Amino acid sequence: MASKTNVLLVQSLNFLLLNLLLSNSLVVVHCFQPIVPFTAHRHPSKTLLLSSITDTTDEQPSASIISGPPAITARDLTCSFDGGNTYQLQSASYILPRGGRVGLVGRNGCGKSTFLRILAEACGYGSDSGKARDNVPFTGEVECPKDVTVAFVEQEPPSPSDITVSDALLGVTDKTSKAVSSGSMSVYEAVRQYRVASLNAATDPDAFSAAATLMDTKDGWSVMTKADEVSTKLRVKQLEDQPLSSLSGGERKRVALAAALVREPDVLILDEPTNHLDLAAIRWLSDLIREKKKMTLLTVTHDRAFLGDVCSSILELDRGTFYTYEGDYATYLQGKEERLANEDKAYAEAKAMYKKELDWMRRQPQARQTKQKAREQSFYKLEKSTKPRVKDPTLELSSEGQRRLGGNILKMRNVSLSFGEKKILQDFSYDFNKGDRIGIVGRNGVGKSSFIRSLTGDQSIDSGTIELGETVVFGVYDQMGIPFLDEEQSCLDFVKERVEAGSGKTMGEVPQEAMKMLKQFQFPRNRWPERVSMLSGGERRRLQLLSVLAKRPNFLILDEPTNDVDLDSLRALESYLEDFKGVLVTVSHDRSFTDTVTNHLFVFEGNGIVKDYLGSLSDYAECLIEQENKDDAAARPAVSKENAPEVEDKAQRVARMNSIKKMKKDLARIEPLIEKLKGKAVELQSAIDNSSDEGWTVLADLTDSLNKVEEEIEEKELEWLELAEQLEALE
């Protein structure tokens, strides 16, 4: 009898443990670590904590890899905007360790930005209430030590009308406030007073002298130097006297980012920091973050190259719960796959046990003993755990049904475009061909957006001609968002309008096609009647992409398509573009995305100069770095006579090794370019062979293009041979 009782007790304990493992609060700590025994603990917040046997502290919130004292601690956070139907956070806990470099990932609308705002505002950044602004409803606790300073850059920073850029860089948020301070007067306020006094130095020299003395006392010179450096690198220096309300969204974002960096906080929280930054600024920001070894970083970003550069761990927000993964983004993908596989396995085991227990329940009499009632309670808990895991929706974009694209697509002949003295294009010519996949590259303000608007006819040109083929249908994704958007319109009505306008469907087919597209783009049925204004930034971008593809375009123009898009949707877009048979022109500073979807670049160098670069954006970035290194070397002071011979010998050795390294890199770069050119030559030859019905003008254009490609192949092969000979001589 005792043996049978023990068996029943062990079974009951097993059922309870399985129930814990399958509960919604399950958080896996080391997802890509070897499996070790663990101990389950109940926190007072009812959040399940998992830890190894060597670390069984009940006080640690879940889903955190502790590598030092906590910078911010979040306990039992719960947040829902619809009364509990959908949870952005559900009894979620997390510790952000000091010195951690954490990338926060998750699907659009899952609550990433909400979590960042809660942390920032609860830590006192931008609010005196201790609760997140904009009426974000949440419960739980957020703790931040008093000695930790926090800076937060929102996805869309506010624009107070009475604040200038120079004041914002020093932490001023409104005219009634002073610059950020932890004492009677901060160093930032001293810098601000000095700048004001310097403007009136001639009329009030005493005030200027006092402000200069205060700068000495507070060490304000280093802060002013830092502010000038950051504002120059992020291209907001020229905006210092302008009010924030007069700036564009991108300019406000760069100002907010610059202000956060000037403060040099202990914790830097960034929501999509690379939006509106050019390639050079993104690289500079990555280098700066890596240099600040003691600074803690928590960032949401779609830019996988930036994510890999600055983050050493990934924090995933999935259905209100956090999961952490040590390592880069690729490690996260592998770890998530293993986690989901383990959950599916545990679900299958629980379902098998449930069948056995269901049979036992049916055979038991109504009057039960205490131990039998305990087993019955375990059965009902087990029954809840046998509900299947909600599958992650997958965005699948189909390129089927694309419109036919004729041989005459778009020709630009000697096009020039200027705004005043600023030249955008100078005598530019290019014939777009089927299969062209072009990335537009250049610093902010050089005219990339003006160029793509000239393609569609939305921007008139000064001289030259643009000839558009009859079969071309543009699909334009604007970085400024959906044009002429009625935010009070429902999602379903919005899509109906787009389908009716662009797909050629009959009135009877429009509603069905609209619902089909909403499902395809992962908008659940309960969101269809909601106003567009209720969507998150990422969901709006997904709706915008839907409206572009609803036209079934054969000439796609994507202006910063990766901004505010979650990584799952980004991979789906890349997959769609791989099968896209038309012409693609994209403006993007996302190196990973541009490398994947383009085969050559239009590099806007300024003053109307545009060069066709046959390589990837990463290759071009390396060329920029090499050029900057050359410029830095040229700017170094001359060597003194005393140590000239010794330094010269060392310099020669270093130069020789650098030359060898550069030649090898150039050889590795040229080889794939030659293969790409040969592939393009094959495509052009095939087009010539099949162009008998297109007319002699099309044949002439194709032949001319083929001759140019063959000349480029010959030039690249000659360059490769010359480099190989030089390398052999040096080695």
Side-chain angles (χ1 to χ4, degrees), residues 302 304 562 565-574 590 593:
H302 65 273
R304 287 158 293 179
T562 64
V565 175
D566 65 60
L567 296 173
D568 290 337
S569 299
L570 198 52
R571 290 197 300 272
L573 177 58
E574 289 174 347
D590 188 323
F593 175 80

Side-chain angles (χ1 to χ4, degrees), residues 229-230 233-234 261 280-289:
E229 177 195 0
V230 171
K233 291 291 186 180
L234 296 181
L261 295 175
I282 293 173
R283 186 167 56 82
W284 175 82
L285 178 61
S286 299
D287 292 341
L288 179 67
I289 291 174

Side-chain angles (χ1 to χ4, degrees), residues 302-321:
H302 65 273
D303 190 328
R304 287 158 293 179
F306 178 78
L307 191 68
D309 286 343
V310 303
C311 294
S312 57
S313 64
I314 303 295
L315 175 66
E316 181 188 18
L317 179 56
D318 183 16
R319 296 186 293 275
T321 302

Side-chain angles (χ1 to χ4, degrees), residues 273-334:
T274 62
N275 285 4
H276 311 293
L277 296 186
D278 58 25
L279 189 61
I282 293 173
R283 186 167 56 82
W284 175 82
L285 178 61
S286 299
D287 292 341
L288 179 67
I289 291 174
R290 287 198 301 267
E291 289 172 4
K292 303 294 182 181
K293 303 294 184 183
K294 295 183 179 180
M295 186 173 67
T296 302
L297 174 71
L298 177 61
T299 181
V300 172
T301 179
H302 65 273
D303 190 328
R304 287 158 293 179
F306 178 78
L307 191 68
D309 286 343
V310 303
C311 294
S312 57
S313 64
I314 303 295
L315 175 66
E316 181 188 18
L317 179 56
D318 183 16
R319 296 186 293 275
T321 302
F322 292 121
Y323 302 88
T324 60
Y325 305 80
E326 278 290 89
D328 57 13
Y329 183 69
T331 301
Y332 151 70
L333 293 176
Q334 186 174 354

Side-chain angles (χ1 to χ4, degrees), residues 46 49 104 137 192 221 339 350 372 375 579 599 666 668 684:
K46 304 298 184 184
L49 305 180
L104 176 60
R192 183 174 179 240
W221 306 110
R339 172 175 69 82
Q372 290 176 321
R375 184 172 178 180
D579 297 329
N599 50 30
D666 287 342
L684 288 170

